[in-house]
């Protein structure tokens, strides 16, 4: 199994949480003055809001998410996936910040596809570098689509049934989906995950841990636990295994 030590996690995560929060607060206020509101579960409003931001504005409002990703994702990964090249999907990949963490920590030779609704963000993500912790470039591409649609490869064909080892979601399932609209995501997890495959899904203001756990266990997934960026993190990711 892939194991990642807490020492390594602390060494690679971005520091200075105060500066990250301050920048986020300033930019969110500036966006609100321009009528741009991204805290919504309405897909059209959301796509328009993200599309109206500059790269720097998205990075600022996503700074806390990025800070948390470098802690939560490796903790959720460690001990749950095999230490061999993996096929990985990153739901709601934005400009690629969660994808960067996956590229860094997943075993060398892994192939990662980010799935993102907002084309401008997917275009930014496509231009970013993705490095494995060995320093080698990771194999990463992006499909521009909704996560509640059938998941597709970057070239457009559907992701093959039972072909995926790991599905990650950071800042999307518990931040933009509600219990009424998460069902298609769970159906796609059932379709694409190989037996024993793992889903690491964020919980948060729009979908609680209790709600997600109930939906996932009804769909036949085994819950492995919850991992957080720090002790009092109200969000974090739940990890599930497919039978
Ligand atoms: C908070 S950002 C997180 C981005 C990235 N995962 C990260 O951790 O930095 C949420 C992202 O999910 C995307 N998103 C929200 N709803 C979506 C949907 N239904 N389908 C695909 N992407 C979606 C948004 O466009 C945005 O890029």
């Amino acid at each position: 199994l892939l194991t990642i030590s807490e020492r390594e996690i602390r060494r690679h995560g971005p520091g200075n949480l105060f500066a990250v929060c301050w920048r986020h607060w300033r930019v969110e206020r500036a966006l609100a003055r321009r009528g741009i509101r991204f805290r919504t579960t309405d897909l059209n409003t959301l796509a328009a809001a993200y599309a109206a931001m500059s790269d720097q504005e998205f990075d600022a409002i996503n700074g806390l998410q990025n800070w948390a990703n470098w802690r939560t994702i490796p903790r959720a990964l460690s001990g749950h996936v095999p230490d061999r090249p993996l096929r990985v999907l990153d739901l709601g990949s934005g400009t690629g910040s969660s994808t960067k963490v996956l590229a860094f920590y997943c075993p060398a030779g892994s192939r990662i596809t980010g799935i993102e609704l907002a084309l401008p963000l997917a275009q930014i993500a496509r231009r970013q570098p993705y490095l494995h912790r060995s320093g080698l470039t990771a194999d990463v591409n992006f499909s521009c689509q909704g996560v509640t649609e059938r998941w597709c490869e970057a070239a457009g064909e559907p992701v093959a049934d039972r072909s995926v080892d790991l599905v990650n979601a950071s800042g999307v399932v518990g931040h933009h989906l509600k219990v009424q609209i998460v069902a298609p995501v769970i159906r796609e997890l059932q379709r694409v995950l190989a037996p024993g495959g793992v889903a690491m899904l964020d919980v948060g203001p729009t979908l609680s841990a209790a709600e997600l756990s109930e939906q996932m266990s009804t769909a036949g997934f085994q819950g492995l636990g919850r991992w957080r960026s720090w002790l009092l993190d109200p969000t974090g990711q739940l990890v599930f295994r497919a039978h």
Side-chain angles (χ1 to χ4, degrees):
L1 290 179
L2 177 72
T3 53
I4 305 163
S5 69
E6 272 302 310
R7 214 170 138 225
E8 188 168 4
I9 292 171
R10 278 197 215 101
R11 197 169 68 212
H12 296 295
N16 208 341
L17 185 58
F18 179 76
V20 168
C21 292
W22 172 242
R23 190 168 162 235
H24 179 127
W25 181 78
R26 270 188 16 240
V27 170
E28 185 164 352
R29 272 178 39 133
L31 289 171
R33 280 198 294 272
R34 280 168 30 216
I36 301 171
R37 288 190 173 75
F38 57 90
R39 294 184 192 277
T40 171
T41 55
D42 177 74
L43 281 192
N44 294 329
T45 314
L46 182 74
Y50 279 128
M53 293 176 202
S54 69
D55 299 14
Q56 291 78 5
E57 285 169 338
F58 182 85
D59 283 346
I61 59 141
N62 206 44
L64 204 50
Q65 179 71 48
N66 183 48
W67 185 91
N69 286 344
W70 281 94
R71 288 154 180 85
T72 309
I73 293 175
R75 286 180 188 146
L77 260 182
S78 185
H80 296 136
V81 293
D83 195 2
R84 56 154 172 84
L86 303 173
R87 178 71 182 110
V88 182
L89 301 180
D90 186 22
L91 308 182
S93 45
T95 56
S97 98
S98 47
T99 321
K100 275 189 187 173
V101 184
L102 292 166
F104 189 81
Y105 282 112
C106 284
S110 295
R111 196 160 70 80
I112 306 172
T113 299
I115 293 184
E116 170 55 44
L117 180 70
L119 181 61
L121 301 186
Q123 283 168 335
I124 295 168
R126 286 182 181 128
R127 295 197 295 265
Q128 306 260 7
Y130 297 91
L131 294 181
H132 180 253
R133 52 183 154 162
S134 63
L136 295 174
T137 297
D139 182 354
V140 173
N141 60 21
F142 292 90
S143 168
C144 187
Q145 62 164 121
V147 296
T148 52
E149 297 160 20
R150 172 167 274 233
W151 298 342
C152 290
E153 300 284 348
E157 74 279 13
V159 172
D161 294 358
R162 297 174 158 238
S163 63
V164 174
D165 303 295
L166 172 68
V167 176
N168 179 73
S170 300
V172 60
V173 171
H175 293 75
H176 291 292
L177 303 183
K178 288 191 283 198
V179 73
Q180 300 89 328
I181 47 175
V182 77
V185 173
I186 298 178
R187 277 200 297 277
E188 281 299 273
L189 288 171
Q190 290 174 309
R191 184 180 76 76
V192 304
L193 277 174
V198 165
M200 315 197 310
L201 309 176
D202 62 291
V203 290
T206 64
L207 189 66
S208 71
E211 287 170 326
L212 182 63
S213 296
E214 193 192 326
Q215 301 289 316
M216 290 294 280
S217 78
T218 306
F221 289 88
Q222 177 196 5
L224 301 181
R226 178 176 182 166
W227 279 266
R228 305 171 200 253
S229 59
W230 65 294
L231 197 62
L232 302 179
D233 181 351
T235 64
Q237 283 176 287
L238 301 191
V239 180
F240 300 93
R241 192 180 297 287
H243 285 301

